[in-house]
Amino acid sequence: MKLSSGLGPRAYGLTKKTILLIVTGSIAAYKAPELIRLLVKDGARVIPVLTKGGAQFVTPLTLQTLAEEKSYSDLFSLTDEAEMGHIKLSRIADLVVIAPASADFIAKMAYGLGDDLASTLLLANKKPVLCAPAMNPQMWAASATQDNIKSLTKRGVNWVGPVSGDVACHEDGVGRMAEPTDIFAAIKSHFTASSILKNKKVIITAGPTVEAIDPVRFMSNHSSGKQGFAIAQALALAGADVTLIHGPVCLNPSPRIKKTIAVTSALEMQKAVEAALPADIAICAAAVADWRVKQTQDNKIKKAATPPTLTMQENPDILLSLATHKKRPKLVIGFAAETEKLEKHAAAKLTRKKCDWLLANDVAKHAFGADHNQILFLQKGKKPVSWKEMSKQDVAEKLVQAITTFFK
Ligand code: PMT
């Protein structure tokens, strides 16, 4: 079905991109037509899917008139299934956008329910998802909603907003849907990153290394792997071919990450990194033990009158070896975990380890195991830039943006 929106000449920035736009039950649904208008004007094909709740606020006719595409809503419609089945709907999309995403719909996604067309096609979906939540601030702050957001983020869902401001129920706080122009910008940047980073080979190290003393005891550190995993996920979502090499962690890597290699010690990590070369980008977020015990004991060291003396040996510096390798990736990025004099020590590390960029974090304040991080971003030959405190996912997104700009 073709309907005329009368939008005039198009800019074609999103030409050949198909966006499945799910509109769920929130008053912010009245902004969905404006989002469709912006997307169509930029050349995108937009297929609207309206939930029962969404249809209380905006009509299928409005959406399909602006999209110039049929609007879908009924899981059991024989006509719709004959024209385009719910499985096919998710297959033809390059990106699934949910705007607005109500608290109820987010909960459905988190629990994997499939009781209507929109939730069913999301269950069957393998494409990237961008979600623009909209709800009352108390609902947004509720532990149930926040737990759902966390679990969906782990599964690779991307978010735009919500933002702070007046909501329809006259309460103030975070919960308002991002403006259509901001959602449009997030969609554009998703595709820009995807086209530039598509198939770029990236090696990422994450988590701690564990260095055995004897079969029972070991030396390690507090790294949880969250920061490195978030970066791996963000790059995989942007289309990069990611190899994630990580020490012992309690995290599940996103299925979009092409290759995941679990190692234990620094020597094993070094070997896995070497085998993963060549690559375009290397990001060393792992907290690699600087030393290992020179002589690991085959049997448990027995408790004696005097404690044993452990002789240490230096581990290979994986970051330095990548930065000086004959197959050196074009962009080598390190991290610096500091507890004092952040800028001074990080600047020295950037030079000593010969990497291009360094993300320094103060691990005395937070970082290890936390969900948030604060980065001082150093680039060779440039003034350091301080990033405000943000979630590790947002740090990952910001880094992906910087990498995208580097390769533009
Ligand atoms: O894992 P999380 O709980 O999310 O915490 C994140 C983090 C704090 C671990 C992470 O943000 C971080 O700072 N990672 C680097 C930790 C570290 O070992 O920093 P460093 O200053 O000791 O080492 C500097 C750089 O050299 C790092 O890129 C490190 O990966 C690398 N290195 C260090 C020693 C070594 N033998 N080989 C290396 O490659």
Side-chain angles (χ1 to χ4, degrees), residues 21-36 38-39 54 57-58 63 97-103 106 130-137 140 159-169 171-184 186-187:
L21 176 66
I22 299 176
V23 179
T24 76
S26 153
I27 179 68
Y30 82 89
K31 294 180 182 173
E34 173 61 6
L35 177 60
I36 294 178
L38 291 168
L39 290 167
F57 298 96
V58 66
L63 301 188
V97 177
I98 309 160
S102 66
I106 288 171
L130 178 71
C131 210
M135 65 196 75
N136 164 278
W140 173 252
W159 307 93
V160 48
V163 295
S164 183
D166 240 1
V167 289
C169 48
E171 284 183 24
D172 205 23
V174 176
R176 195 184 154 101
M177 187 174 84
E179 288 305 317
T181 44
D182 293 329
I183 302 173
F184 174 68
I187 294 169

Side-chain angles (χ1 to χ4, degrees), residues 122-141:
L122 269 173
L123 261 183
N125 171 54
K126 286 186 185 159
K127 300 296 171 62
V129 176
L130 178 71
C131 210
M135 65 196 75
N136 164 278
Q138 298 299 328
M139 288 168 79
W140 173 252

Side-chain angles (χ1 to χ4, degrees), residues 205-209 221-231 249 251 266 269-270 283-291 314-322 333-338 345 349 352-353 355 357-363 366-373 375 392 395:
T205 70
T209 64
N221 58 64
H222 297 296
S223 171
S224 63
K226 284 182 185 171
Q227 186 61 81
F229 273 58
I231 295 168
V249 291
L251 301 171
M269 188 172 273
Q270 160 85 336
I283 305 172
C284 293
V288 184
D290 288 313
W291 312 281
E314 203 169 332
N315 268 328
D317 191 314
I318 301 168
L319 175 60
L320 178 65
S321 74
L322 276 163
I333 305 170
F335 269 78
E338 305 296 344
H345 288 168
K349 241 171 221 176
R352 193 169 72 245
K353 303 217 178 203
C355 48
W357 300 352
L358 198 85
L359 283 80
N361 36 208
D362 185 343
V363 288
H366 39 50
F368 276 134
D371 289 332
H372 284 72
N373 205 354
I375 296 293
K392 284 182 176 167
V395 168

Side-chain angles (χ1 to χ4, degrees), residues 196-217:
I196 289 171
L197 298 180
K198 195 166 175 63
N199 299 328
K200 283 261 179 306
K201 223 185 139 202
V202 191
I203 299 172
I204 301 174
T205 70
T209 64
V210 169
E211 312 295 330
I213 297 171
D214 66 18
V216 176
R217 301 160 181 114

Side-chain angles (χ1 to χ4, degrees), residues 35-180:
L35 177 60
I36 294 178
R37 205 185 64 79
L38 291 168
L39 290 167
V40 170
K41 198 169 177 191
D42 207 46
R45 178 183 182 202
V46 182
I47 302 176
V49 175
L50 196 55
T51 67
K52 228 178 190 171
Q56 298 294 320
F57 298 96
V58 66
T59 69
L61 186 62
T62 312
L63 301 188
Q64 69 184 27
T65 304
L66 287 163
E68 300 180 35
E69 287 282 346
K70 182 176 167 53
S71 168
Y72 294 83
S73 55
D74 189 355
L75 180 60
F76 299 109
S77 157
L78 286 176
T79 344
D80 287 5
E81 278 294 309
E83 276 179 31
M84 175 105 71
H86 62 274
I87 301 289
K88 194 164 171 205
L89 265 177
S90 69
R91 296 289 178 271
I92 58 165
D94 296 296
L95 175 70
V96 179
V97 177
I98 309 160
S102 66
D104 177 63
F105 195 75
I106 288 171
K108 264 190 190 177
M109 286 166 71
Y111 284 91
L113 301 188
D115 63 352
D116 63 2
L117 178 66
S119 54
T120 308
L121 70 83
L122 269 173
L123 261 183
N125 171 54
K126 286 186 185 159
K127 300 296 171 62
V129 176
L130 178 71
C131 210
M135 65 196 75
N136 164 278
Q138 298 299 328
M139 288 168 79
W140 173 252
S143 316
T145 307
Q146 287 306 311
D147 285 351
N148 291 336
I149 302 288
K150 268 190 201 148
S151 125
L152 289 168
T153 305
K154 271 190 198 149
R155 283 183 237 158
V157 171
N158 291 303
W159 307 93
V160 48
V163 295
S164 183
D166 240 1
V167 289
C169 48
H170 304 300
E171 284 183 24
D172 205 23
V174 176
R176 195 184 154 101
M177 187 174 84
E179 288 305 317

Side-chain angles (χ1 to χ4, degrees), residues 307-336:
T309 305
L310 300 175
T311 309
M312 301 292 189
Q313 176 172 8
E314 203 169 332
N315 268 328
D317 191 314
I318 301 168
L319 175 60
L320 178 65
S321 74
L322 276 163
T324 51
H325 205 282
K326 56 179 185 298
K327 292 184 195 161
R328 185 192 200 276
K330 188 150 185 223
L331 185 59
V332 178
I333 305 170
F335 269 78

